[in-house]
Amino acid sequence: MTVQVSQPFTSRLRSLALALLFPALVLGWWEWESRQSAGHAYAFAPLEQIGRSFAEMLADGSLLLHAGASLQRALTALLIGGSIGVATGIATGLSRLLDRTASPLITTMRQVPILGWLPLVALWFGNGDGAKLLLVSLSAFYPTVLNTQKGMQAIEKRYAEVGRLYGFTRMQALRLIAWPSALPLIFTGISQALAFSWIATIGVELLFSATAGLGTEMMAAQVAARTDVVLVCVACVGVMGFTLNQLFALLRARLLRWQGAAAR
């Protein structure tokens, strides 16, 4: 008796195999290098040692402590910077006067890399959590303000005409026309801000290694020549960043499901 495998299942299996091929080759190359440079374990830690370090960090709670601290820092900064960015974007998107006065300043500040503000922020606030939150919040502010402003300015004229025909007040027009129209671009800005916040969080932790965080743990491991611990932290950063983006994509699809219905 022959078992027939459906075409979609075979296609998914092939896609999965292709997706795993490159990581498998990289891991194989890494293990080979670790065996060739046995006397330089700090450069290429064996996969077994990396796995053992991962298990130890999970067991003693240090990995969860540092990962939780980084996650809390990134999400708090996203909430602060994103909220201010959305509010500023709405204001500058609806007011030509505010757009002409505030947008040049925002555009000028955006040209300075986030880490370029580090010396000034360190002089003002030291190297504590306040300085870290400020820098990460700034990284979340720019994409949200720019996308929100663009969304507010891209409202179709026919929708505005409908609002005038129905006699909408300014607040009604904002709530029933402007906000729903701009929401897809606002979510795009928040999605970008989430990625920037996570990256900036690890960056400032690497430089301000004063409190718990994955970046702080990576710096401590680098000083101790613990390549295995560094790689555990790097893998954790990548997996957590990917998971955050996937979860937000699911949330966005759920909250904006009316878009598909409207298109049909």
Side-chain angles (χ1 to χ4, degrees):
M1 179 179 180
T2 58
V3 179
Q4 292 184 345
V5 181
S6 63
Q7 186 66 26
F9 177 79
T10 305
S11 178
R12 286 197 296 269
L13 196 61
R14 187 184 300 114
S15 298
L16 178 62
L18 289 173
L20 294 176
L21 177 61
F22 184 71
L25 290 173
V26 171
L27 290 176
W29 169 80
W30 184 275
E31 183 65 16
W32 180 82
E33 283 286 353
S34 69
R35 295 180 185 277
Q36 298 301 310
S37 55
H40 306 281
Y42 63 88
F44 290 93
L47 296 179
E48 181 185 357
Q49 183 181 344
I50 296 171
R52 190 163 55 246
S53 297
F54 173 70
E56 290 173 358
M57 293 175 72
L58 272 182
D60 63 19
S62 61
L63 184 61
L64 295 178
L65 171 68
H66 292 297
S70 294
L71 181 63
Q72 181 181 7
R73 189 169 290 119
L75 294 181
T76 302
L78 174 67
L79 180 62
I80 296 171
S83 299
I84 297 174
V86 170
T88 306
I90 292 174
T92 55
L94 295 178
S95 171
R96 290 186 178 180
L97 178 61
L98 280 176
D99 183 22
R100 290 173 181 173
T101 53
S103 290
L105 176 61
I106 294 172
T107 303
T108 302
M109 291 177 61
R110 191 164 61 92
Q111 308 310 311
V112 181
I114 294 300
L115 296 183
W117 293 102
L118 193 149
L120 187 61
V121 171
L123 284 172
W124 285 349
F125 304 102
N127 63 348
D129 277 336
K132 294 177 184 178
L133 274 178
L134 177 58
L135 287 170
V136 181
S137 298
L138 198 60
S139 73
F141 170 77
Y142 294 132
T144 49
V145 68
L146 293 174
N147 281 277
T148 302
Q149 182 184 35
K150 191 181 298 182
M152 286 293 169
Q153 293 173 343
I155 299 170
E156 294 190 32
K157 291 183 179 180
R158 55 177 177 164
Y159 295 150
E161 290 293 336
V162 170
R164 280 193 286 269
L165 287 174
Y166 279 96
F168 285 174
T169 63
R170 190 172 181 83
M171 286 305 299
Q172 286 177 321
L174 174 63
R175 182 170 57 88
L176 299 175
I177 297 176
W179 180 255
S181 298
L183 207 53
L185 272 174
I186 292 174
F187 270 100
T188 298
I190 296 174
S191 177
Q192 294 173 357
L194 176 61
F196 292 163
S197 296
W198 182 242
I199 294 170
T201 294
I202 305 304
V204 297
E205 287 174 353
L206 286 168
L207 295 167
F208 288 151
S209 54
T211 54
L214 289 171
T216 303
E217 181 68 0
M218 277 193 278
M219 284 301 298
Q222 185 263 332
V223 172
R226 290 290 305 274
T227 308
D228 51 337
V229 175
V230 172
L231 288 170
V232 168
C233 293
V234 168
C236 189
V237 169
V239 170
M240 289 179 67
F242 177 79
T243 303
L244 285 172
N245 280 287
Q246 292 299 110
L247 289 175
F248 184 80
L250 291 174
L251 177 64
R252 172 180 177 153
R254 183 172 181 81
L255 293 179
L256 295 182
R257 61 185 181 277
W258 52 267
Q259 271 191 301
R264 289 194 297 268

